Amino acid sequence: MWNAYLVIIGLLILLTLLPKIQNQHWIFRVPEFGKIQITYFIFITFLFGLFIETPSENFWYLQALLMVLFIHHSTTLVKYTPLYPVKKYQQRNQSSQKLHFISANVYQFNTEYNRFISLIQKHQPEIFLTMESNGGWEKALQILEKEYPYQHKVTLENTYGMHFYSKIEIKNAKTHYFVADDIPSIEIHLKTKDGFSFVFFGVHPPPPSPTEEETSKERDGDLLSAAKCVKNIKEPVVVVGDFNNVAWSKSSILFRKTSQLIDPRIGRAFVSTFHAKYRLLRFPIDLMFHSEDIFIKELKTLENFGSDHLPVYCEFFIDPHNNGQEERVEKATSEEKAEAEEMIQDGKEEDGSRDAVVTEG
């Protein structure tokens, strides 16, 4: 038992230290995803230590070390819980009507199309975004096109397809390929019936992992390119998608500062989405950021529809005359701007190893 205790402590220290090393290889980046689980394991290990025989006089030093690790992780994570104080805002007469969207990584090989269609019909969002949607998904979703007459489609078979459907009029739509010609991001300019314009930006960069990209260079470069693009948009904007990143990682924080957007998870909840089938191994990687004139009423996950991701549901309103959220906007320093530019260039130079057509298996 004592040896197991020591091994677990060593592993927890390693998983805590690896993300501190600024190397974009997946070995250093993947532990960031598990910060929630690591924090729980630290606490459980601390309790475990109280019930084992302790042949070493250093036992309480080790217990103290576990508490230091717990506090270190908790200091970051508490910001993404209701315990962290964030001012709530009421909808006012001059604001837009309530708007709703659903963002979902559908998993390209998931053929339970009807479950997703039923989810959309149940929740009736004004707009929804699908990622990993290929030709099969596009065909299946045609049944919704009468109700969602405005669309923007980027149909790919490489697990990076993206489809946008809207009841709100699309004024302009663009597809960006920031770091690679097979990784799209979409920029949709919309105008509501009550006269409010806003921009919906959808992203889905590749993840660093042993089975996909060796490093996070393309992911980080793609996200920071999107951040620079968003910063120049003068209208209210939301950025949504499968970031394949967590909100507390260095590149996510750099994204938030570069784009000058707000993370609605702060003071609210983790909103963990992946993996949909394993509650204890679920990470919050489907993120959202918004400008200061977008006000979030509700942000949550919805029921599983057969994908490996849970869908994200958001209710929000637009109020350009309310400057109450200005203090939540952080701006990048000159050093951070230079670092972002370097990461964008690294992302463009990275040679991603993706097939044009990906098959399951």
Side-chain angles (χ1 to χ4, degrees):
M1 296 287 279
W2 174 252
N3 288 336
Y5 173 76
L6 293 177
V7 169
I8 293 171
I9 291 177
L11 181 60
L12 292 170
I13 293 172
L14 179 64
L15 292 174
T16 299
L17 292 178
L18 280 176
K20 306 293 183 188
I21 301 172
Q22 294 310 309
N23 186 304
Q24 290 176 295
H25 194 279
W26 67 264
I27 288 175
F28 301 94
R29 302 279 60 88
V30 166
E32 292 175 318
F33 290 65
K35 182 179 280 287
I36 299 170
Q37 288 80 3
I38 290 168
T39 306
Y40 277 117
F41 269 110
I42 290 169
F43 185 68
I44 291 168
T45 304
F46 177 86
L47 295 179
F48 172 65
L50 299 176
F51 293 95
I52 63 172
E53 294 184 16
T54 56
S56 172
E57 60 186 18
N58 295 321
F59 169 72
W60 288 110
Y61 291 107
L62 294 172
Q63 289 290 86
L65 175 60
L66 285 170
M67 288 310 301
V68 169
L69 292 177
F70 181 79
I71 293 169
H72 168 75
H73 288 288
S74 298
T75 301
T76 297
L77 294 179
V78 73
K79 295 179 182 178
Y80 302 92
T81 73
L83 297 175
Y84 192 79
V86 172
K87 186 177 178 182
K88 308 299 182 186
Y89 296 90
Q90 296 298 318
Q91 195 167 1
R92 307 189 304 181
N93 290 334
Q94 63 264 48
S95 67
S96 72
Q97 295 179 349
K98 291 179 183 177
L99 299 167
H100 311 80
F101 73 76
I102 289 176
S103 169
N105 182 324
V106 297
Y107 182 59
Q108 180 171 298
F109 309 106
N110 172 25
T111 57
E112 297 186 66
Y113 308 123
N114 288 336
R115 289 180 67 184
F116 180 74
I117 291 168
S118 296
L119 181 141
I120 296 297
Q121 292 172 333
K122 174 184 175 182
H123 295 281
Q124 288 293 312
E126 284 77 17
I127 53 182
F128 70 90
L129 171 72
T130 63
M131 292 154 287
E132 288 203 29
S133 40
N134 61 357
W137 272 95
E138 181 177 318
K139 183 177 180 181
L141 294 176
Q142 286 176 355
I143 194 172
L144 295 172
E145 291 185 1
K146 184 176 181 180
E147 192 172 358
Y148 292 85
Y150 305 101
Q151 303 124 27
H152 184 69
K153 304 173 181 178
V154 187
T155 307
L156 297 171
E157 301 292 335
N158 65 349
T159 72
Y160 290 96
M162 192 175 289
H163 290 68
F164 178 86
Y165 296 83
S166 177
K167 297 178 180 179
I168 303 170
E169 182 182 3
I170 294 177
K171 307 299 290 187
N172 187 28
K174 302 176 185 176
T175 302
H176 299 280
Y177 296 90
F178 291 121
V179 299
D181 59 9
D182 59 347
I183 301 294
S185 298
I186 60 171
E187 177 185 342
I188 314 292
H189 293 249
L190 303 126
K191 188 169 185 179
T192 65
K193 289 182 178 179
D194 53 349
F196 288 84
S197 296
F198 70 102
V199 177
F200 186 99
F201 214 101
V203 299
H204 182 204
S209 80
T211 59
E212 297 196 51
E213 300 306 314
E214 185 174 319
T215 74
S216 66
K217 290 181 179 180
E218 281 192 305
R219 181 199 69 183
D220 297 342
D222 189 74
L223 290 176
L224 290 168
S225 295
K228 283 184 62 181
C229 182
V230 165
K231 184 178 178 294
N232 295 322
I233 296 174
K234 304 306 179 185
E235 297 174 310
V237 59
V238 296
V239 182
V240 179
D242 177 2
F243 277 58
N244 279 310
N245 207 355
V246 284
W248 48 79
S249 75
K250 182 176 182 179
S251 54
S252 279
I253 293 170
L254 201 53
F255 172 91
R256 174 163 52 83
K257 290 182 176 181
T258 301
S259 63
Q260 296 181 16
L261 298 180
I262 296 167
D263 182 354
R265 282 170 165 75
I266 294 176
R268 191 179 300 271
F270 296 121
V271 195
S272 297
T273 55
F274 176 89
H275 195 289
K277 295 180 181 178
Y278 310 114
R279 184 178 294 273
L280 296 179
L281 292 174
R282 192 172 291 171
F283 312 127
I285 64 174
D286 293 87
L287 303 184
M288 174 196 177
F289 295 86
H290 62 89
S291 56
E292 62 193 63
D293 33 24
I294 300 281
F295 294 82
I296 308 302
K297 296 286 287 183
E298 186 174 24
L299 182 67
K300 64 181 182 180
T301 57
L302 298 177
E303 58 268 27
N304 188 7
F305 59 91
S307 174
D308 52 355
H309 288 245
L310 294 176
V312 174
Y313 174 89
C314 180
E315 178 183 308
F316 68 98
F317 63 89
I318 306 167
D319 190 349
H321 306 292
N322 189 338
N323 59 5
Q325 293 190 123
E326 282 185 359
E327 62 186 25
R328 296 185 63 186
V329 176
E330 294 184 68
K331 298 181 180 180
T333 64
S334 56
E335 291 81 5
E336 288 171 329
K337 289 177 181 177
E339 186 175 10
E341 290 294 339
E342 183 179 347
M343 293 170 79
I344 289 170
Q345 191 58 38
D346 287 345
K348 291 178 178 178
E349 293 174 358
E350 184 74 358
D351 183 20
S353 55
R354 289 175 298 276
D355 295 326
V357 177
V358 177
T359 56
E360 188 174 17

